[in-house]
């Protein structure tokens, strides 16, 4: 049986990818941010998951505004890196895990999560920036990825509760996968930021820290946060945090916080990183 071993939540700000690709990580602006990821990179190298389910959002790159699935799973063998307007990031293509992805699709749909099946797509900064942050700059990515995209770019996004429940369904799916894979689940995006309108530039670090505390110790309370609260407290793009709830739902009811690092500002964002280890307490009931 495959096993979910740990979860990671991380922001996915595109400027981080540009800093990596242009050799600017040692500039004073970027040093504290990248220093914050050093312990998690070490943890990741030691933990060496066999496959990662990366829950992220597409920013109108794979899916245009003509067609926006609420939840979509990639079942391909490989994903090319999207050109988001400045050329493709110089990264290796992201290897898929078609067998696990098809098992997830079947299990989720039979579990009444009617997820969209994606046979071919490109992946944008929502997925590639966390890959750079978790794994540095390898010639090849160290493990295959199952991309799971969540709509948070066009109202109405799914609720936090729905995302949390999707995580629980992912857990049930992985627990019934006949492989021996040790699976990492990653939720990307956030924390507070607003890229548009009168409150552009909004950051609410105190709210973000409370969100992280809740996500670890009282996930039902985190799952109950409404769209309006995300908008009011975390800004219009703070809604990306619902993807961290998918990750949390896939973990044990009790988890061990391995590592947390936050940094303000990173581009327009309060950058967050959370590493959670399954405690062995078992899934949510
Ligand atoms: C920024 C953050 C995001 O999550 C994103 O998708 C685009 C931009 C930013 O902070 O600039
Ligand atoms: Fe984003």
């Amino acid at each position: 049986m495959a096993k979910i071993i740990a979860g990671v939540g991380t922001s996915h700000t595109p400027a981080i990818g540009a800093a990596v690709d242009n050799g600017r990580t040692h500039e004073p602006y970027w040093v504290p941010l990248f220093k914050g990821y050093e312990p998690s990179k070490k943890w990741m190298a030691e933990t060496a998951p066999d496959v990662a389910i990366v829950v992220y959002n597409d920013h109108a790159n794979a899916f245009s505004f003509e067609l926006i699935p609420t939840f979509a799973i990639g079942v391909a063998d490989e994903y090319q890196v999207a050109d988001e307007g400045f050329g493709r990031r110089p990264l290796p293509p992201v290897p898929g895990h078609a067998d696990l992805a098809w098992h997830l699709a079947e299990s989720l749909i039979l579990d009444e999560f009617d997820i969209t099946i994606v046979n071919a797509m490109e992946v944008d900064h929502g997925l590639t920036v966390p890959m750079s942050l978790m794994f540095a700059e390898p010639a090849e990515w160290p493990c295959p990825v199952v991309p799971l995209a969540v709509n948070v770019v066009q109202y109405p996004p799914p609720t936090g509760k729905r995302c949390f429940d999707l995580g629980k369904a992912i857990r049930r799916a992985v627990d019934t996968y006949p492989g021996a894979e040790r699976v990492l689940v990653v939720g990307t995006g956030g924390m507070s930021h607003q890229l548009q309108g009168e409150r552009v530039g909004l950051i609410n670090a105190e709210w973000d820290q409370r969100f992280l505390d809740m996500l670890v110790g009282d996930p039902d309370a985190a799952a109950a946060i409404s769209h309006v609260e995300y908008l009011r407290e975390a800004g219009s793009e703070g809604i990306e945090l619902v993807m961290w709830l998918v990750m949390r739902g896939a973990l044990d009811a009790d988890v061990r916080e391995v590592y947390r690092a936050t940094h303000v500002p990173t581009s327009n964002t309060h950058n967050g990183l959370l590493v959670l280890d399954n405690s062995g307490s078992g899934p949510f009931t």
Side-chain angles (χ1 to χ4, degrees), residues 11-15 57 59 125-126 189-190 193 195 237 240 266-269:
S11 302
H12 64 213
T13 305
N57 70 290
H59 302 73
H125 67 268
H193 63 302
L195 303 176
E237 277 67 44
E240 289 183 341
T266 301
S267 190
N268 299 290
T269 306

Coordinates of all heavy atoms in Angstrom, one line a residue, residues 11-15 57 59 125-126 189-190 193 195 237 240 266-269, ligand 1:
S11 N 4.4 29.1 -0.5 CA 4.0 30.1 -1.5 C 4.7 29.8 -2.9 O 5.6 29.0 -2.9 CB 4.5 31.5 -1.0 OG 3.9 31.8 0.2
H12 N 4.2 30.4 -3.9 CA 4.7 30.1 -5.3 C 5.0 31.3 -6.1 O 4.9 31.3 -7.4 CB 3.7 29.1 -6.0 CG 2.4 29.7 -6.2 ND1 1.2 28.9 -6.2 CD2 1.9 31.0 -6.6 CE1 0.2 29.7 -6.5 NE2 0.6 30.9 -6.7
T13 N 5.3 32.4 -5.5 CA 5.5 33.7 -6.1 C 6.4 33.6 -7.3 O 7.5 33.2 -7.2 CB 6.0 34.7 -5.1 OG1 5.2 34.7 -4.0 CG2 6.2 36.1 -5.7
P14 N 6.0 34.1 -8.5 CA 6.8 33.9 -9.7 C 8.1 34.6 -9.7 O 9.1 34.1 -10.3 CB 5.9 34.5 -10.8 CG 4.8 35.2 -10.2 CD 4.6 34.6 -8.8
A15 N 8.2 35.7 -8.9 CA 9.5 36.4 -8.8 C 10.6 35.5 -8.2 O 11.8 35.7 -8.5 CB 9.4 37.7 -8.0
N57 N -2.5 26.1 -8.3 CA -3.4 26.7 -9.2 C -2.7 27.1 -10.5 O -1.6 27.6 -10.4 CB -4.2 27.8 -8.6 CG -3.4 29.1 -8.3 OD1 -2.6 29.1 -7.4 ND2 -3.7 30.1 -9.1
H59 N -2.5 29.7 -13.5 CA -2.8 31.2 -13.6 C -3.1 31.5 -15.0 O -2.4 32.3 -15.6 CB -1.7 32.0 -13.0 CG -1.3 31.7 -11.6 ND1 -0.6 30.6 -11.2 CD2 -1.5 32.4 -10.5 CE1 -0.4 30.6 -9.9 NE2 -0.9 31.7 -9.4
H125 N 4.0 28.7 -12.8 CA 4.7 29.0 -11.6 C 4.1 28.4 -10.3 O 4.7 28.2 -9.3 CB 5.0 30.5 -11.4 CG 3.8 31.3 -11.2 ND1 3.0 31.9 -12.2 CD2 3.1 31.7 -10.0 CE1 2.0 32.6 -11.7 NE2 2.0 32.5 -10.4
G126 N 2.7 28.2 -10.4 CA 2.1 27.6 -9.3 C 2.7 26.3 -8.9 O 2.6 25.9 -7.7
G189 N 0.8 28.3 -3.0 CA 0.1 29.6 -3.1 C 0.1 30.3 -1.8 O 0.7 29.9 -0.8
G190 N -0.5 31.5 -1.8 CA -0.6 32.3 -0.6 C 0.7 32.9 -0.2 O 1.6 32.9 -1.1
H193 N -1.9 38.1 0.1 CA -1.5 39.0 -1.0 C -2.7 39.5 -1.8 O -3.7 38.8 -1.9 CB -0.3 38.5 -1.9 CG -0.6 37.3 -2.7 ND1 -1.0 36.1 -2.2 CD2 -0.5 37.1 -4.0 CE1 -1.1 35.2 -3.2 NE2 -0.8 35.8 -4.3
L195 N -3.1 41.5 -5.6 CA -2.4 42.0 -6.8 C -3.2 43.0 -7.6 O -2.8 43.4 -8.7 CB -2.1 40.8 -7.7 CG -1.2 39.6 -7.1 CD1 -1.1 38.5 -8.1 CD2 0.1 40.1 -6.6
E237 N -6.0 37.5 -3.4 CA -5.2 36.3 -3.9 C -4.9 35.4 -2.7 O -4.4 34.3 -2.8 CB -4.0 36.7 -4.6 CG -4.2 37.0 -6.1 CD -5.0 38.2 -6.4 OE1 -4.7 39.3 -5.7 OE2 -5.9 38.2 -7.2
E240 N -5.7 31.6 -2.4 CA -4.8 30.5 -2.8 C -4.6 29.5 -1.6 O -4.2 28.4 -1.8 CB -3.5 31.0 -3.3 CG -3.6 31.6 -4.7 CD -2.3 32.1 -5.3 OE1 -1.3 32.3 -4.5 OE2 -2.3 32.3 -6.5
T266 N 7.9 39.2 -0.1 CA 8.5 38.5 -1.2 C 7.6 38.9 -2.4 O 6.4 38.4 -2.5 CB 8.5 37.0 -1.0 OG1 9.3 36.7 0.1 CG2 9.1 36.3 -2.2
S267 N 8.1 39.8 -3.2 CA 7.3 40.4 -4.2 C 6.1 41.0 -3.5 O 6.3 41.8 -2.6 CB 6.9 39.4 -5.3 OG 6.3 40.0 -6.4
N268 N 4.8 40.6 -3.8 CA 3.7 41.2 -3.2 C 3.1 40.3 -2.0 O 2.1 40.6 -1.5 CB 2.5 41.4 -4.2 CG 3.0 42.3 -5.3 OD1 3.1 43.5 -5.1 ND2 3.2 41.7 -6.5
T269 N 3.9 39.3 -1.7 CA 3.3 38.2 -0.8 C 4.0 38.1 0.5 O 5.2 38.3 0.6 CB 3.5 36.9 -1.6 OG1 2.9 37.1 -2.9 CG2 2.9 35.7 -1.0
Ligands
LIG1 C1 2.6 37.0 -6.9 C2 2.1 36.0 -6.1 C3 1.4 34.9 -6.7 O1 0.9 33.9 -6.0 C4 1.1 34.9 -8.1 O2 0.5 33.9 -8.6 C5 1.6 36.0 -8.9 C6 2.3 37.0 -8.3 C7 3.4 38.2 -6.3 O3 3.6 38.2 -5.1 O4 3.9 39.0 -7.1

